[in-house]
Amino acid sequence: MSKVFTSAEVAQHNNENSCWVVLYGKVYDVTHLLSSHPGGAQAILRVGGIDATDDFDPIHPPETMQSLQSAQIGSIDCDEEPFCASHTTGPTNEIDVNTLLNLDEIEQAARKVISKKAWAYYYSASDDKITKNFTTEVYRSLLLRPRVFVDCQKCDVETELLGWRLGLPIYISPTAMARLGHPSGEAGLAEACRVFGALQIIANNSSLSPEQVVANAAPTQVFGWQLYVQRDHSASEAMLARVNKLDAIKFVVLTLDAPVSGKREDDERINMQAHPAGSVSAQLFAGTDPSLTWHETLQWLSRHTMKPIILKGLQTHEDVAIAARYTPLVSAVILSNHGGRSLDTAPPAVHTLLEIRKYCPYVFMKMEVWVDGGIRRGTDVVKALCLGAKAVGIGRPALWGLGAGGVKGVERTLQLLLEETKTCMRLLGATSIKDLGPHYVNSSGVEQQIYRTPPNVKDERAVAYRGKL
């Protein structure tokens, strides 16, 4: 018979010599995990001796519990509180999302129903949020140039990414911890994508396993999988082996814009109130390898997957030019500043896109260029596509939709962006994605802000990596 412990008994085991936690009413001795946990010993010690369910549940895929079975030593006395209180993830009072008319309204609705912890993690950005805010604002400085006398009764927004046919040029960026906002989590995002034929990139730190996310995918549905290389490379290799077996996952996205976590004060502040040891962000990044290099890392990755490789987080034309030299091993790049969550005052993707157009336009012929971050309107989508982006990613908007209304909320988010994109294209005089080009955009105001390469100065790093693979 399983031994029953009181909360007082469990509370005594909260140190490095003996660390117990309560999960879903069961007691686990996790002392042996302190030295090997990817987030470091402190990630466990901060919940030692208490019920860690609310911290554990939205962050760890259910499969994690299987690895803990041998550590179970008993159960908690269910006559006590709060140990046996029901644990729920995400909002229980979903609203009628069809009454929401834009992405800002969806975000405002989500903030009313999700937990403070979820809001802090989703909303937070580094330092003063300059990059986060500017990434959205810069789109307003790009002016559209509509043409008239165009038959715009129909508008085709279907597109191809890396050869896969998609219903729209908008994809869901890798967004971790979706179950913080709603119990359906990343599977809910996938269900909404299925309706629109949209692409989804599954986050490395997804709160569901990749197998769970793609379980109910349509035969034609397209997924990517985000990779954060762990200090323990064998852990990443094991995950890649699993991803390689999933046909629905078509490519791997190596994320480079967050080798370490940025200083996300909203996230830190909320978590400090409950656990002084750290934020959600700090936990997720604790095991990430910050020592990646072009040649060595790409060689390593190419040994462990045959799927196309996309590099995410490039923020200068110089790095994009280096990436282009690694084609066909590298199939595409995603211009991203990690949603303003890494280096504050880093450039928006639009700046990098314009840099490429100015300094290395040949890149668009060698590989696909996607952008991520700052999209709030269909006009933003169209502007990015006109300037050379093959697809446009949304991160927070998808999470806000999920938080506001579950799957229906994500569907509403995609629906609004799709309708706005079509309206913009028709008013612009473009009837298909193929029609879009830089002649539809006046970018002169933004071009004054982009980096100017000093004359006769070579990028020595770019030269050094020529012909490496």
Side-chain angles (χ1 to χ4, degrees), residues 88-105:
T88 60
T89 302
T92 56
N93 52 334
E94 295 175 4
I95 63 173
D96 182 3
V97 294
N98 291 321
T99 64
L100 306 175
L101 301 180
N102 55 62
L103 269 56
D104 287 340
E105 289 185 4

Side-chain angles (χ1 to χ4, degrees), residues 20 29 93 99 110 179 187 306 310 354 357 360 403 441:
W20 295 3
D29 183 348
N93 52 334
T99 64
R179 290 182 68 237
M306 296 296 292
I310 296 179
L354 288 171
R357 297 198 65 84
C360 49
V441 179

